[in-house]
Amino acid sequence: MENCGNGEIPEDANEHCPGTQSEEAGKSDACQGCPNQQICATAPKGPDPDLLPIAERMATVKHKILVLSGKGGVGKSTFSAQLSFALAAMDYQVGLLDIDICGPSIPKMLGLEGQDIHQSNLGWSPCYVESNLGVMSIGFMLPNPDEAVIWRGPRKNGLIKQFLKDVYWGELDYLVVDAPPGTSDEHISIVQCLLETGIDGAIIVTTPQQVSLIDVRKEVNFCKKVGIKVLGVVENMSGLCQPLRDIKFLKQSGTSEQSDVTEWALQYMKERAPELLNFMAYSEVFDSSGGGAMKMCQEMGVPFLGKVPLDPQLCKAAEEGKSCFEDQKCTASAPALKSIIEKLIPKRAAENGV
């Protein structure tokens, strides 16, 4: 980027760019057709008085990780929740901040539904899963969990700033920020508020098919434009994988009706081929013939962290607000998540066997 009197000028900006901090940024005739027009038009101009108290509050946080996705419904919040559970299990002090204002699912995924925020002379207190895992979400502030949050951008941005400057986390090793899908107001706000305090980077979650990767490419480019390091991309729901003994077997009749023959099928295998009951069954749910996230990462020059299969037991753990590492039920997903976490935090993950 070049510098001018009205802020930095992006490398891909139009000729006669007024500068990102100009009052005309994103609005002047010179901005028409510029790829940065929307970001510049919605970004606040001039020094933000909230940045100093945010910096003071974030001074006690060692590492900040954003979890992003270009497409909704790819399992980003599930990944954020399980990453937080894993970090806490490694004896880190962890905070999980949910800035998905319109769709806060983190309280349920952490088993904290119905909890309330408490205020002290130090600020808002997070809701705690364990003594070393605190959570903050608008979900704790809604009078009814079915209440719709119908807010415009400025009000969303105001709450995100309030979370950052008023929540008392104490000393944290990791703050995991679960963001909504896309590259809109919430993303611009969190980056502008935290960039000067130091962001370790972003983990981007996708599913294998092109309809998701198209939007994830935009998310990668967003990170590059705003100066956020992409720690890596996770390909979630990478095929349905579960023990064969957990599969339900159906018999299709000529009238298109289906009958459950699971009990017969399992008994047949037990008698004729018992070794099959220890096998894992795999089925590709989404089309990955285009190369999936791995190919996209190679093309865009960002790290590929790994694949996590679609595991019904992981879905159940998320529904129940539990860690998939607590027991041996998530046999397909837990090892995959562990491998990804070891790439992000290698030494402590290996020591704790998460």
Side-chain angles (χ1 to χ4, degrees):
M1 286 190 176
E2 298 179 17
N3 288 311
C4 70
N6 288 314
E8 295 180 325
I9 296 178
E11 293 178 359
D12 56 351
N14 290 352
E15 191 177 2
H16 308 303
C17 172
T20 56
Q21 290 299 310
S22 167
E23 290 296 327
E24 294 299 312
K27 303 173 185 176
S28 74
D29 292 340
C31 299
Q32 296 302 313
C34 176
N36 308 291
Q37 185 176 10
Q38 183 182 3
I39 294 176
C40 291
T42 56
K45 308 300 185 292
D48 187 338
D50 289 322
L51 292 182
L52 181 58
I54 289 172
E56 291 173 351
R57 187 68 85 178
M58 291 293 108
T60 60
V61 180
K62 294 178 183 177
H63 302 283
K64 307 173 195 72
I65 297 175
L66 307 182
V67 182
L68 309 175
S69 68
K71 177 70 70 177
V74 299
K76 170 188 53 59
S77 294
T78 300
F79 181 84
S80 296
Q82 295 305 323
L83 173 62
S84 300
F85 276 129
L87 292 171
M90 297 177 206
D91 296 325
Y92 287 117
Q93 293 293 325
V94 183
L96 174 54
L97 176 59
D98 180 7
I99 63 167
D100 193 341
I101 306 300
C102 295
S105 53
I106 287 298
K108 181 172 183 61
M109 291 186 175
L110 274 292
L112 294 172
E113 282 185 300
Q115 297 291 316
D116 295 319
I117 296 172
H118 299 285
Q119 193 161 7
S120 69
N121 60 336
L122 296 173
W124 288 353
S125 297
C127 297
Y128 283 89
V129 182
E130 302 286 350
S131 60
N132 66 332
L133 176 52
V135 181
M136 180 55 68
S137 169
I138 191 177
F140 301 132
M141 305 167 70
L142 300 177
N144 183 329
D146 296 331
E147 190 82 20
V149 180
I150 308 172
W151 289 3
R152 293 186 185 275
R155 195 171 178 190
K156 291 181 184 179
N157 298 342
L159 181 61
I160 291 172
K161 286 184 178 181
Q162 199 165 4
F163 279 159
L164 294 174
K165 67 180 181 179
D166 290 346
V167 176
Y168 177 68
W169 298 100
E171 298 282 340
L172 282 186
D173 294 305
Y174 285 93
L175 178 64
V176 178
V177 180
D178 183 54
T183 55
S184 56
D185 295 295
E186 295 93 330
H187 305 79
I188 297 168
S189 292
I190 197 71
V191 168
Q192 289 178 332
C193 291
L194 290 183
L195 198 57
E196 294 302 318
T197 70
I199 301 175
D200 288 58
I203 300 169
I204 301 177
V205 182
T206 184
T207 45
Q209 77 277 33
Q210 288 300 317
V211 73
S212 177
L213 293 171
I214 288 170
D215 291 334
V216 170
R217 289 174 182 273
K218 298 181 179 73
E219 198 77 41
V220 172
N221 284 324
F222 169 82
C223 291
K224 291 179 177 180
K225 285 180 179 179
V226 298
I228 299 296
K229 179 181 179 181
V230 176
L231 298 175
V233 175
V234 174
E235 184 178 285
N236 197 26
M237 306 185 196
S238 185
L240 173 63
C241 189
Q242 61 185 127
L244 186 61
R245 60 181 176 274
D246 293 341
I247 294 288
K248 187 174 184 178
F249 293 86
L250 302 175
K251 183 178 181 180
Q252 186 87 30
S253 68
T255 58
S256 298
E257 293 183 357
Q258 295 176 333
S259 57
D260 189 340
V261 294
T262 303
E263 187 176 346
W264 173 85
L266 292 177
Q267 185 62 33
Y268 186 89
M269 282 188 283
K270 185 177 180 180
E271 295 174 355
R272 305 293 181 88
E275 64 276 8
L276 288 179
L277 295 175
N278 296 320
F279 281 30
M280 300 289 284
Y282 176 87
S283 176
E284 189 172 89
V285 178
F286 300 108
D287 179 22
S288 60
S289 58
M294 181 182 291
K295 183 178 179 182
M296 183 204 72
C297 289
Q298 293 170 347
E299 293 171 349
M300 301 195 75
V302 294
F304 177 66
L305 293 175
K307 301 180 180 182
V308 180
L310 183 58
D311 180 356
Q313 290 297 330
L314 176 59
C315 299
K316 186 176 180 181
E319 285 287 307
E320 296 176 351
K322 296 179 180 179
S323 168
C324 72
F325 304 104
E326 280 186 355
D327 50 39
Q328 303 300 315
K329 293 182 179 179
C330 298
T331 53
S333 56
L337 286 165
K338 178 185 175 183
S339 175
I340 289 169
I341 292 165
E342 285 176 347
K343 292 177 183 177
L344 293 167
I345 306 101
K347 186 176 180 181
R348 189 75 72 95
E351 290 174 357
N352 287 269
V354 173

